[in-house]
Amino acid sequence: MTFTQELTLAEKVRFDFPILHQEVNGKPLVYFDNAATSQKPLLVIDTLRDYYEQYNANVHRGVHTLSAKATDAYEAARDKVAKFVNAKSRQEIVFTRNATEAINLVAYSWGMNNLQQGDEIILSVMEHHSNIVPWQFVAAKTGAVLKYVELTLEETFDLEQFQKLLSENTKLVSIVHVSNTLGCINPVQEICSLAHNFGAKVLIDACQSVPHLPVDVQQIDCDWLVASGHKMFATTGVGFLYGKLELLQAMPPFLGGGEMIAEVFLDYSTYADLPHKFEAGTPAIGEAIALGAAVDYLSAIGMDKIHAYEAELTAYLFQQLEKIPQIKIYGPKPNAKGEGRASLAAFTVAEVHANDLSTLLDQEGIAIRSGHHCTQPLHRYLGAAGTARASLSFYNTHEEIDVFIKALKETIDFFTGIFD
């Protein structure tokens, strides 16, 4: 009798990602920088090429065949994203250049018009710069006050402190779903519920969650949610904002120009309906269509399956990293099944700079990130100048983790020899 072992998810999908099948510095590429950007499957690459080769035209503005086809594909992508995050209406999905623009859209359109002296904005110390700097702008202009949730001893979101910070003055809470440095998965549903009890609005930065686990905006009950296409296997140059319909309807346009208008007169203009009110100018048409293809790809696999496989990888990665005594890993530990945190590990090695680690690992064909990962306040809070970060995705394998661990040990031994 012959037994056949079931293929892992990575083995099933790996050939969909042509970039992975190459050598870097004479070694097979091991791409462990997925928290910075993901690789793109052939479906996304082909979809983008097909747009430019077969029906490149502007959307919403022409009655000719190519324009109609481009418009249909562009709006179909909106429907796909709405379904993917379980929005109530397609009008609740606004295409942006990236998540940073989506946060700025809310900051300028809602924040500048609804916040005033003494109002409070609650963020956390783990936020990406994109979820800090826009609110600093708003606070400086409006007189609102920024407050920050700190970390528990396990280096997770301090929910108890958050509850103490909430008050009648709290008007906005803007929190990351999954930290790109700590890997912690924040209790966003509970955060929203607690904030809403005080009448505050909540924005969720879902850049690191949407590509890795199921996200349901109605279940979370957030007021806004943002994500970047390039982190969810689509192209660069496109992201999206989800917002509750009544909120988006009440918000004034962010940018003025073509596409976002109903009528323009010399002395005033009227604005288009949602979501076009917030999509001024020619959008990233091909990129949005490719984002729709990425959603198709992820949906065909199933986000539950992706999350489960990445949890396996997380458990294995941490088992191996914890065998290296010189390493300090930041953020909470996963459980035995790899649950409880994202599939990434940011770490330091005593007396070895993260950039040096990354440079030597690159010589072995291994791509990891080093630095502050756009979380300088968090690194200061942790007392770390920078960290090395290995971040995984569903096309990565246990064998790649073995290659990484072996090279990491050799790199640490090399530097230990120098310091000795």
Side-chain angles (χ1 to χ4, degrees), residues 255-277:
L255 298 173
E259 192 73 14
M260 52 72 68
I261 52 88
E263 291 186 290
V264 175
F265 301 90
L266 291 181
D267 53 350
Y268 74 96
S269 298
T270 58
Y271 307 128
D273 292 334
L274 289 174
H276 307 297
K277 179 174 72 172

Side-chain angles (χ1 to χ4, degrees), residues 47-79:
T47 297
L48 185 64
R49 186 182 64 244
D50 288 348
Y51 165 72
Y52 284 112
E53 286 184 350
Q54 298 176 23
Y55 58 104
N56 175 41
N58 216 324
V59 293
H60 305 137
R61 301 178 186 179
V63 296
H64 60 80
T65 299
L66 294 188
S67 180
K69 186 173 182 180
T71 298
D72 287 346
Y74 180 78
E75 292 301 332
R78 193 188 313 277
D79 291 330

